[in-house]
Amino acid sequence: MDFKIPKEIKHPQQFQKEHAVFVMYEMLQDIFHVFEGGYTNPGWNETIIKDLLHELHHQMVFLNTTVVEKLGEENKSQAYSGTILPLKSYYLRIWTYLEAKEYSSCAWTIVREELYWNFSFINKLKDKFQN
């Protein structure tokens, strides 16, 4: 399944530091919503999912209070117009896929692999711009 990750996301070296923070925040928020809305998958440990949701929420709060608020609306608007809107469409495709497949185990396996890639990308961004 190809959810068509936005091409801008595939090239983190093109991001300005300020935009990268908004991208990371948005990705964490959207991943949170994917799991929050449909994690009832047979065979998944509910405690682990709740812990994941808690940690994602914690990271979003941290980013928001330490970085996002300080960067201002201008940087946020630039990030949204260039990268965030296509990113939101990407997560909508993931969500729509899960719904269409009625949150089946097979669908979750595919989405889980996609989200693993997302976490890998977030880590690359964090490492690149950590300062």
Side-chain angles (χ1 to χ4, degrees):
M1 180 70 198
D2 182 7
F3 295 107
K4 297 180 175 83
I5 186 85
K7 64 182 182 237
E8 301 89 353
I9 299 300
K10 292 181 180 179
H11 305 288
Q13 64 275 13
Q14 296 176 1
F15 288 140
Q16 295 176 4
K17 184 176 185 175
E18 296 80 10
H19 295 177
V21 172
F22 288 109
V23 169
M24 286 188 290
Y25 180 83
E26 188 64 38
M27 290 179 82
L28 290 172
Q29 185 175 30
D30 288 329
I31 291 168
F32 178 90
H33 290 302
V34 166
F35 279 106
E36 180 186 47
Y39 71 83
T40 54
N41 185 328
W44 282 28
N45 183 320
E46 194 170 319
T47 302
I48 291 173
I49 299 301
K50 286 182 180 181
D51 289 347
L52 172 65
L53 289 171
H54 175 76
E55 186 59 33
L56 287 170
H57 178 74
H58 174 74
Q59 291 299 317
M60 289 184 300
V61 168
F62 172 78
L63 274 177
N64 193 45
T65 58
T66 60
V67 182
V68 172
E69 289 177 355
K70 294 176 184 161
L71 291 176
E73 286 300 315
E74 182 178 332
N75 282 317
K76 184 177 182 178
S77 295
Q78 290 173 358
Y80 266 78
S81 65
T83 307
I84 303 298
L85 290 178
L87 192 58
K88 285 201 158 298
S89 294
Y90 162 74
Y91 285 105
L92 180 61
R93 287 188 292 277
I94 291 172
W95 184 258
T96 303
Y97 173 78
L98 281 171
E99 285 182 330
K101 299 295 182 178
E102 299 177 351
Y103 303 96
S104 71
S105 294
C106 182
W108 267 111
T109 299
I110 291 167
V111 168
R112 185 180 67 224
E113 290 299 318
E114 187 75 11
L115 295 180
Y116 281 159
W117 181 89
N118 281 228
F119 284 119
S120 173
F121 179 79
I122 290 168
N123 282 331
K124 286 179 187 175
L125 276 180
K126 179 185 66 81
D127 292 344
K128 180 172 175 47
F129 295 111
Q130 193 173 31
N131 286 336

